[in-house]
Amino acid sequence: MTAFLNVQDVTKTFFGFTALSNVNLNVASGERLGLIGPNGSGKTTLINCISGALEVDTGQIVFEGSSISKLAPHQRAKTGVARTFQIPQPFHSMSVVENLMVPLEYIVHGLIDASNEESVYCEASEILSRVRLDDRRHAHPGDLSQVELRKLELARAIAARPKLLICDEAMAGLAMKEVNEILDILLELNSAGITIVMIEHIMQAVMRFSQRIVCLTAGRIICDDLPENVMANPEVRRAYLGS
Ligand code: ADP
Ligand code: MG
């Protein structure tokens, strides 16, 4: 497997409570990985450790061969790591298109001419069309539906031109038709070369999306295998699927 993302022996505790315990995980370039596990099993904590919102206690996060464990979130973003938040976090006072200006001007700086408003606007429009939100460019987050907010969250993440995109429950609370809309977008982004780790509870979505599934329980990886093997694994079924 190509060394792309390696989570090496990561432990994270909160005030003596172990949220992640010696987690080892490799993700290959171009892969679509599903991350499942019951509530409180450490999925978001793992993403926070990868993206830099949290520092690991012990272990390393290695991205494309270099340790990024000590880098700040914005520095990790510049190396190509992006994430979406479980609860979308747009700038409410800005329009949809303005919401993309921040990642465009700060992270993609140098790749496009950030001082040229028109080139930033063009880039923002291109991103909005990738997530099928171009017709809502002048709306404010408060006017968006749940699925549109999810699309904006995705747009903000891909504005930074990530190599790795980690989605934290990007489909929670959506109707099945909307789940499939988001899945179609993620599959297109993956076809365009973005490696994607998707945390999701909706099993139909996880199964349609994932080439491989990792199951976390109480801060430990209990299974890392092909989707059909994970679904058939007795420990996963007991811990997660309730049977
Ligand atoms: P998941 O995303 O799988 O639902 P989380 O990673 O959010 O789980 O949480 C794992 C465990 O760590 C939970 O018991 C949660 O309460 C705890 N936890 C997460 N973040 C913090 C924090 N910042 N401070 C204290 N405890 C936390
Ligand atoms: Mg979570």
Side-chain angles (χ1 to χ4, degrees), residues 14-15 17 19 37-46 54 86:
F14 297 110
F15 315 106
F17 169 80
N39 281 330
S41 57
K43 304 181 299 296
T44 298
T45 301
L46 179 57
L54 290 171
Q86 207 164 337

Side-chain angles (χ1 to χ4, degrees), residues 8 42 62 91 107 125 141 145-146 156 158 165 167 190 221 225:
Q8 297 176 355
V62 179
F91 299 108
I107 296 170
S125 298
S145 68
Q146 201 42 240
R156 280 159 42 88
I158 63 169
L165 172 65
C167 297
N190 178 251
I221 290 178
D225 209 334

Side-chain angles (χ1 to χ4, degrees), residues 51-52 68 70-77:
S51 63
I68 58 168
K70 297 287 175 203
L71 299 184
H74 71 277
Q75 293 171 313
R76 298 193 202 196

Side-chain angles (χ1 to χ4, degrees), residues 123-166:
E123 177 85 7
S125 298
E126 148 78 16
I127 293 160
L128 289 176
S129 66
R130 288 176 90 182
V131 301
R132 332 251 202 276
L133 207 55
D134 28 341
D135 56 338
R136 301 289 275 149
R137 70 182 63 191
H138 298 302
H140 276 71
D143 303 323
L144 299 183
S145 68
Q146 201 42 240
V147 68
E148 288 171 337
L149 275 173
R150 299 287 176 178
K151 289 177 181 176
L152 176 57
E153 183 69 8
L154 266 180
R156 280 159 42 88
I158 63 169
R161 299 194 183 181
K163 298 173 192 166
L164 170 67
L165 172 65
I166 313 178

